[in-house]
Amino acid sequence: AAHLLRTKKYDCVISDVRMPGNSRFEFIEDLAESKDSPPVVVITAYPSVDTAVRSLDLRISSYLVKPVEIDDLLSRVENAIREVRTRRAAQQVMSRAGREAEGASDAVVASRRDGPDADKLASLSPRETEVLRHLLEGYRVNTIARKLFISQHTVRNHLKKIFAKLEVRSQTELLEKLKP
């Protein structure tokens, strides 16, 4: 699976917690830490507080306990795919806005402005942009705080400022707004 994931792009990975090559969660950790990895739906017959907490710290889309209803699994996979496609689209908009802010002429900027207002994205502080990029990569508040060496409270304050500047009320609305 690790080899296939390095050679081809997938929209979602379904992984068990206990399996060969993942006896201590290493496959899932490596996958979740990869910057361009697909979302992961974790399934286990041996739920524990440790694996559940580790799933929260990583970019795990869902954590399911066996036996799993097939409709629930399909719903979680569909949500994960929808979320990753939205995040990828939002990252493209952020990258394009960053390139535009780095000195493109006003005419070029105006001709390529088909997403959210680039001026609003440009108004984000460097730290707010970092927080937003981590959010778009699928990290949760506690993980963003740890990665940036700031408190969760500070991350939430940055998110409030981002929401205000981009005129949204939630993370879901933010992702929708950032879609091209």
Short mmCIF file of all heavy atoms in Angstrom, two decimals, residues 32-79:
data_model
loop_
_atom_site.label_atom_id
_atom_site.label_comp_id
_atom_site.label_asym_id
_atom_site.label_seq_id
_atom_site.Cartn_x
_atom_site.Cartn_y
_atom_site.Cartn_z
N ALA A 32 -0.54 9.95 7.27
CA ALA A 32 -1.20 11.18 7.71
C ALA A 32 -0.23 12.36 7.77
O ALA A 32 -0.65 13.50 7.63
CB ALA A 32 -1.85 10.96 9.08
N GLU A 33 1.04 12.11 7.97
CA GLU A 33 2.02 13.19 8.03
C GLU A 33 2.48 13.65 6.66
O GLU A 33 3.03 14.74 6.52
CB GLU A 33 3.23 12.76 8.86
CG GLU A 33 2.94 12.69 10.35
CD GLU A 33 2.55 14.04 10.95
OE1 GLU A 33 3.15 15.06 10.58
OE2 GLU A 33 1.63 14.07 11.77
N SER A 34 2.27 12.84 5.64
CA SER A 34 2.65 13.22 4.29
C SER A 34 1.79 14.40 3.84
O SER A 34 0.57 14.38 3.99
CB SER A 34 2.47 12.03 3.34
OG SER A 34 2.67 12.43 2.02
N LYS A 35 2.42 15.41 3.28
CA LYS A 35 1.72 16.65 2.94
C LYS A 35 0.60 16.45 1.92
O LYS A 35 -0.44 17.07 2.02
CB LYS A 35 2.73 17.66 2.42
CG LYS A 35 2.16 19.04 2.28
CD LYS A 35 3.27 20.04 2.02
CE LYS A 35 2.72 21.42 1.96
NZ LYS A 35 2.86 22.17 3.17
N ASP A 36 0.80 15.59 0.97
CA ASP A 36 -0.19 15.43 -0.11
C ASP A 36 -0.94 14.11 -0.02
O ASP A 36 -1.43 13.60 -1.01
CB ASP A 36 0.51 15.55 -1.46
CG ASP A 36 -0.44 15.96 -2.57
OD1 ASP A 36 -1.48 16.56 -2.25
OD2 ASP A 36 -0.14 15.66 -3.74
N SER A 37 -1.04 13.56 1.19
CA SER A 37 -1.67 12.25 1.34
C SER A 37 -3.19 12.36 1.27
O SER A 37 -3.77 13.38 1.60
CB SER A 37 -1.26 11.62 2.66
OG SER A 37 -1.79 12.35 3.74
N PRO A 38 -3.82 11.27 0.85
CA PRO A 38 -5.29 11.25 0.84
C PRO A 38 -5.82 11.14 2.27
O PRO A 38 -5.08 10.77 3.19
CB PRO A 38 -5.62 10.00 0.03
CG PRO A 38 -4.44 9.12 0.22
CD PRO A 38 -3.25 10.03 0.35
N PRO A 39 -7.10 11.43 2.48
CA PRO A 39 -7.67 11.26 3.81
C PRO A 39 -7.69 9.78 4.18
O PRO A 39 -7.73 8.91 3.31
CB PRO A 39 -9.08 11.81 3.67
CG PRO A 39 -9.38 11.75 2.23
CD PRO A 39 -8.07 11.90 1.51
N VAL A 40 -7.64 9.52 5.48
CA VAL A 40 -7.59 8.15 5.98
C VAL A 40 -8.82 7.87 6.83
O VAL A 40 -9.15 8.65 7.73
CB VAL A 40 -6.32 7.92 6.82
CG1 VAL A 40 -6.25 6.49 7.32
CG2 VAL A 40 -5.07 8.27 6.02
N VAL A 41 -9.48 6.76 6.53
CA VAL A 41 -10.56 6.26 7.36
C VAL A 41 -9.99 5.06 8.09
O VAL A 41 -9.56 4.09 7.47
CB VAL A 41 -11.80 5.85 6.52
CG1 VAL A 41 -12.86 5.20 7.39
CG2 VAL A 41 -12.36 7.06 5.78
N VAL A 42 -9.95 5.15 9.42
CA VAL A 42 -9.35 4.10 10.24
C VAL A 42 -10.46 3.21 10.79
O VAL A 42 -11.49 3.70 11.26
CB VAL A 42 -8.54 4.71 11.41
CG1 VAL A 42 -8.06 3.65 12.36
CG2 VAL A 42 -7.38 5.52 10.88
N ILE A 43 -10.21 1.90 10.71
CA ILE A 43 -11.15 0.92 11.23
C ILE A 43 -10.40 0.04 12.22
O ILE A 43 -9.25 -0.35 11.96
CB ILE A 43 -11.73 0.04 10.11
CG1 ILE A 43 -12.45 0.91 9.08
CG2 ILE A 43 -12.67 -1.02 10.68
CD1 ILE A 43 -12.93 0.16 7.87
N THR A 44 -11.03 -0.30 13.33
CA THR A 44 -10.38 -1.18 14.30
C THR A 44 -11.40 -2.04 15.04
O THR A 44 -12.52 -1.61 15.29
CB THR A 44 -9.55 -0.36 15.32
OG1 THR A 44 -8.85 -1.27 16.17
CG2 THR A 44 -10.42 0.55 16.16
N ALA A 45 -10.94 -3.23 15.36
CA ALA A 45 -11.73 -4.11 16.22
C ALA A 45 -11.25 -3.99 17.66
O ALA A 45 -11.83 -4.57 18.57
CB ALA A 45 -11.61 -5.55 15.75
N TYR A 46 -10.16 -3.23 17.84
CA TYR A 46 -9.54 -3.07 19.16
C TYR A 46 -9.42 -1.59 19.50
O TYR A 46 -8.32 -1.04 19.54
CB TYR A 46 -8.16 -3.73 19.18
CG TYR A 46 -8.19 -5.18 18.78
CD1 TYR A 46 -7.91 -5.57 17.47
CD2 TYR A 46 -8.54 -6.16 19.69
CE1 TYR A 46 -7.96 -6.89 17.10
CE2 TYR A 46 -8.60 -7.49 19.33
CZ TYR A 46 -8.30 -7.85 18.02
OH TYR A 46 -8.36 -9.16 17.65
N PRO A 47 -10.55 -0.91 19.71
CA PRO A 47 -10.47 0.52 20.00
C PRO A 47 -9.78 0.77 21.34
O PRO A 47 -9.92 -0.01 22.28
CB PRO A 47 -11.93 0.95 20.04
CG PRO A 47 -12.68 -0.28 20.40
CD PRO A 47 -11.92 -1.42 19.79
N SER A 48 -9.01 1.84 21.36
CA SER A 48 -8.38 2.24 22.62
C SER A 48 -8.32 3.75 22.67
O SER A 48 -8.39 4.42 21.64
CB SER A 48 -6.96 1.66 22.71
OG SER A 48 -6.10 2.30 21.79
N VAL A 49 -8.17 4.26 23.86
CA VAL A 49 -8.04 5.70 24.02
C VAL A 49 -6.79 6.18 23.28
O VAL A 49 -6.81 7.21 22.61
CB VAL A 49 -7.97 6.08 25.52
CG1 VAL A 49 -7.64 7.55 25.70
CG2 VAL A 49 -9.28 5.73 26.20
N ASP A 50 -5.70 5.40 23.34
CA ASP A 50 -4.45 5.78 22.69
C ASP A 50 -4.63 5.94 21.18
O ASP A 50 -4.25 6.96 20.61
CB ASP A 50 -3.37 4.74 22.97
CG ASP A 50 -2.04 5.11 22.34
OD1 ASP A 50 -1.59 6.26 22.51
OD2 ASP A 50 -1.46 4.24 21.65
N THR A 51 -5.24 4.95 20.51
CA THR A 51 -5.40 5.06 19.06
C THR A 51 -6.41 6.15 18.69
O THR A 51 -6.24 6.83 17.68
CB THR A 51 -5.81 3.72 18.42
OG1 THR A 51 -7.03 3.27 18.98
CG2 THR A 51 -4.72 2.68 18.57
N ALA A 52 -7.43 6.34 19.50
CA ALA A 52 -8.41 7.39 19.22
C ALA A 52 -7.76 8.77 19.34
O ALA A 52 -7.96 9.63 18.49
CB ALA A 52 -9.60 7.27 20.16
N VAL A 53 -6.95 8.97 20.38
CA VAL A 53 -6.27 10.25 20.57
C VAL A 53 -5.26 10.49 19.45
O VAL A 53 -5.16 11.58 18.90
CB VAL A 53 -5.61 10.33 21.96
CG1 VAL A 53 -4.66 11.52 22.07
CG2 VAL A 53 -6.68 10.38 23.04
N ARG A 54 -4.51 9.46 19.09
CA ARG A 54 -3.54 9.60 18.01
C ARG A 54 -4.24 9.93 16.70
O ARG A 54 -3.72 10.70 15.89
CB ARG A 54 -2.70 8.34 17.89
CG ARG A 54 -1.68 8.25 19.04
CD ARG A 54 -1.04 6.92 19.16
NE ARG A 54 0.02 6.72 18.18
CZ ARG A 54 0.66 5.57 18.05
NH1 ARG A 54 0.37 4.56 18.82
NH2 ARG A 54 1.61 5.45 17.15
N SER A 55 -5.42 9.38 16.50
CA SER A 55 -6.20 9.69 15.29
C SER A 55 -6.61 11.16 15.26
O SER A 55 -6.64 11.78 14.20
CB SER A 55 -7.45 8.82 15.21
OG SER A 55 -7.09 7.49 14.97
N LEU A 56 -6.93 11.72 16.42
CA LEU A 56 -7.28 13.13 16.49
C LEU A 56 -6.09 14.02 16.16
O LEU A 56 -6.23 15.07 15.54
CB LEU A 56 -7.81 13.48 17.88
CG LEU A 56 -9.20 12.97 18.21
CD1 LEU A 56 -9.52 13.25 19.67
CD2 LEU A 56 -10.24 13.60 17.31
N ASP A 57 -4.91 13.60 16.60
CA ASP A 57 -3.70 14.40 16.36
C ASP A 57 -3.25 14.34 14.91
O ASP A 57 -2.58 15.26 14.43
CB ASP A 57 -2.55 13.92 17.26
CG ASP A 57 -2.75 14.32 18.70
OD1 ASP A 57 -3.57 15.21 18.97
OD2 ASP A 57 -2.07 13.75 19.57
N LEU A 58 -3.59 13.27 14.22
CA LEU A 58 -3.22 13.13 12.82
C LEU A 58 -4.37 13.61 11.95
O LEU A 58 -5.43 13.98 12.44
CB LEU A 58 -2.91 11.65 12.51
CG LEU A 58 -1.77 11.05 13.33
CD1 LEU A 58 -1.73 9.55 13.14
CD2 LEU A 58 -0.44 11.69 12.95
N ARG A 59 -4.16 13.59 10.66
CA ARG A 59 -5.23 14.00 9.75
C ARG A 59 -6.08 12.78 9.39
O ARG A 59 -6.17 12.39 8.25
CB ARG A 59 -4.63 14.63 8.51
CG ARG A 59 -4.01 15.97 8.79
CD ARG A 59 -3.43 16.57 7.58
NE ARG A 59 -2.36 15.70 7.08
CZ ARG A 59 -1.87 15.75 5.87
NH1 ARG A 59 -2.33 16.59 5.00
NH2 ARG A 59 -0.91 14.95 5.50
N ILE A 60 -6.69 12.18 10.38
CA ILE A 60 -7.56 11.03 10.18
C ILE A 60 -8.98 11.55 9.97
O ILE A 60 -9.50 12.30 10.78
CB ILE A 60 -7.51 10.07 11.39
CG1 ILE A 60 -6.07 9.61 11.66
CG2 ILE A 60 -8.45 8.91 11.19
CD1 ILE A 60 -5.42 8.87 10.53
N SER A 61 -9.58 11.15 8.87
CA SER A 61 -10.91 11.62 8.55
C SER A 61 -11.97 11.00 9.45
O SER A 61 -12.85 11.70 9.94
CB SER A 61 -11.21 11.31 7.09
OG SER A 61 -12.48 11.77 6.74
N SER A 62 -11.89 9.68 9.66
CA SER A 62 -12.87 8.99 10.50
C SER A 62 -12.21 7.84 11.24
O SER A 62 -11.26 7.23 10.74
CB SER A 62 -14.01 8.42 9.66
OG SER A 62 -14.81 9.44 9.13
N TYR A 63 -12.75 7.52 12.40
CA TYR A 63 -12.27 6.42 13.22
C TYR A 63 -13.48 5.55 13.52
O TYR A 63 -14.40 5.98 14.22
CB TYR A 63 -11.66 6.99 14.52
CG TYR A 63 -11.09 5.98 15.48
CD1 TYR A 63 -9.74 5.64 15.42
CD2 TYR A 63 -11.87 5.41 16.47
CE1 TYR A 63 -9.19 4.75 16.32
CE2 TYR A 63 -11.33 4.51 17.38
CZ TYR A 63 -9.99 4.19 17.30
OH TYR A 63 -9.44 3.30 18.21
N LEU A 64 -13.52 4.36 12.93
CA LEU A 64 -14.67 3.48 13.07
C LEU A 64 -14.29 2.21 13.82
O LEU A 64 -13.18 1.70 13.69
CB LEU A 64 -15.20 3.09 11.68
CG LEU A 64 -15.66 4.25 10.80
CD1 LEU A 64 -15.91 3.76 9.38
CD2 LEU A 64 -16.90 4.88 11.38
N VAL A 65 -15.25 1.69 14.57
CA VAL A 65 -15.05 0.47 15.35
C VAL A 65 -15.84 -0.66 14.70
O VAL A 65 -17.01 -0.49 14.34
CB VAL A 65 -15.49 0.67 16.81
CG1 VAL A 65 -15.32 -0.61 17.61
CG2 VAL A 65 -14.71 1.82 17.45
N LYS A 66 -15.15 -1.80 14.52
CA LYS A 66 -15.81 -2.99 13.94
C LYS A 66 -16.79 -3.56 14.94
O LYS A 66 -16.54 -3.49 16.14
CB LYS A 66 -14.76 -4.05 13.60
CG LYS A 66 -13.84 -3.67 12.46
CD LYS A 66 -12.83 -4.78 12.24
CE LYS A 66 -11.82 -4.40 11.18
NZ LYS A 66 -10.79 -5.43 11.03
N PRO A 67 -17.85 -4.15 14.49
CA PRO A 67 -18.27 -4.31 13.10
C PRO A 67 -18.79 -2.98 12.56
O PRO A 67 -19.43 -2.21 13.26
CB PRO A 67 -19.37 -5.36 13.16
CG PRO A 67 -19.95 -5.21 14.54
CD PRO A 67 -18.81 -4.77 15.42
N VAL A 68 -18.50 -2.73 11.30
CA VAL A 68 -18.86 -1.48 10.66
C VAL A 68 -20.01 -1.71 9.69
O VAL A 68 -19.99 -2.66 8.91
CB VAL A 68 -17.64 -0.91 9.88
CG1 VAL A 68 -18.02 0.34 9.13
CG2 VAL A 68 -16.48 -0.66 10.82
N GLU A 69 -21.01 -0.87 9.77
CA GLU A 69 -22.11 -0.91 8.82
C GLU A 69 -21.59 -0.37 7.49
O GLU A 69 -20.97 0.69 7.46
CB GLU A 69 -23.28 -0.05 9.29
CG GLU A 69 -23.97 -0.58 10.54
CD GLU A 69 -24.74 -1.85 10.27
OE1 GLU A 69 -25.26 -2.00 9.13
OE2 GLU A 69 -24.83 -2.68 11.18
N ILE A 70 -21.84 -1.07 6.40
CA ILE A 70 -21.32 -0.68 5.10
C ILE A 70 -21.81 0.71 4.69
O ILE A 70 -21.05 1.51 4.12
CB ILE A 70 -21.63 -1.74 4.01
CG1 ILE A 70 -20.83 -1.44 2.73
CG2 ILE A 70 -23.11 -1.80 3.72
CD1 ILE A 70 -19.37 -1.64 2.84
N ASP A 71 -23.05 1.04 5.01
CA ASP A 71 -23.57 2.37 4.67
C ASP A 71 -22.82 3.47 5.43
O ASP A 71 -22.56 4.55 4.88
CB ASP A 71 -25.07 2.47 4.96
CG ASP A 71 -25.90 1.64 3.99
OD1 ASP A 71 -25.39 1.34 2.88
OD2 ASP A 71 -27.04 1.30 4.32
N ASP A 72 -22.48 3.19 6.69
CA ASP A 72 -21.71 4.16 7.48
C ASP A 72 -20.31 4.33 6.89
O ASP A 72 -19.83 5.45 6.74
CB ASP A 72 -21.63 3.71 8.94
CG ASP A 72 -21.03 4.77 9.84
OD1 ASP A 72 -21.13 5.97 9.52
OD2 ASP A 72 -20.44 4.40 10.87
N LEU A 73 -19.68 3.22 6.52
CA LEU A 73 -18.35 3.28 5.91
C LEU A 73 -18.39 4.07 4.60
O LEU A 73 -17.57 4.96 4.37
CB LEU A 73 -17.80 1.88 5.67
CG LEU A 73 -16.45 1.80 4.95
CD1 LEU A 73 -15.36 2.50 5.76
CD2 LEU A 73 -16.07 0.35 4.69
N LEU A 74 -19.36 3.78 3.75
CA LEU A 74 -19.48 4.49 2.48
C LEU A 74 -19.72 5.98 2.69
O LEU A 74 -19.15 6.82 1.99
CB LEU A 74 -20.60 3.88 1.62
CG LEU A 74 -20.33 2.49 1.06
CD1 LEU A 74 -21.57 1.94 0.37
CD2 LEU A 74 -19.14 2.51 0.12
N SER A 75 -20.54 6.31 3.65
CA SER A 75 -20.81 7.71 3.97
C SER A 75 -19.54 8.42 4.42
O SER A 75 -19.25 9.54 3.99
CB SER A 75 -21.89 7.79 5.05
OG SER A 75 -22.05 9.11 5.49
N ARG A 76 -18.76 7.76 5.28
CA ARG A 76 -17.50 8.36 5.77
C ARG A 76 -16.50 8.54 4.64
O ARG A 76 -15.81 9.54 4.57
CB ARG A 76 -16.90 7.50 6.87
CG ARG A 76 -17.76 7.25 8.07
CD ARG A 76 -17.94 8.48 8.95
NE ARG A 76 -18.73 8.18 10.11
CZ ARG A 76 -18.24 8.05 11.33
NH1 ARG A 76 -16.97 8.20 11.56
NH2 ARG A 76 -19.05 7.77 12.33
N VAL A 77 -16.42 7.56 3.75
CA VAL A 77 -15.50 7.65 2.61
C VAL A 77 -15.94 8.79 1.68
O VAL A 77 -15.11 9.59 1.24
CB VAL A 77 -15.41 6.30 1.85
CG1 VAL A 77 -14.69 6.47 0.53
CG2 VAL A 77 -14.70 5.26 2.71
N GLU A 78 -17.23 8.88 1.40
CA GLU A 78 -17.74 9.97 0.55
C GLU A 78 -17.44 11.33 1.17
O GLU A 78 -17.01 12.26 0.48
CB GLU A 78 -19.25 9.82 0.33
CG GLU A 78 -19.60 8.69 -0.61
CD GLU A 78 -21.10 8.40 -0.65
OE1 GLU A 78 -21.88 9.03 0.11
OE2 GLU A 78 -21.50 7.54 -1.46
N ASN A 79 -17.64 11.46 2.48
CA ASN A 79 -17.34 12.73 3.16
C ASN A 79 -15.85 13.04 3.09
O ASN A 79 -15.47 14.20 2.88
CB ASN A 79 -17.78 12.67 4.62
CG ASN A 79 -19.28 12.74 4.77
OD1 ASN A 79 -20.00 13.16 3.86
ND2 ASN A 79 -19.78 12.29 5.91
#
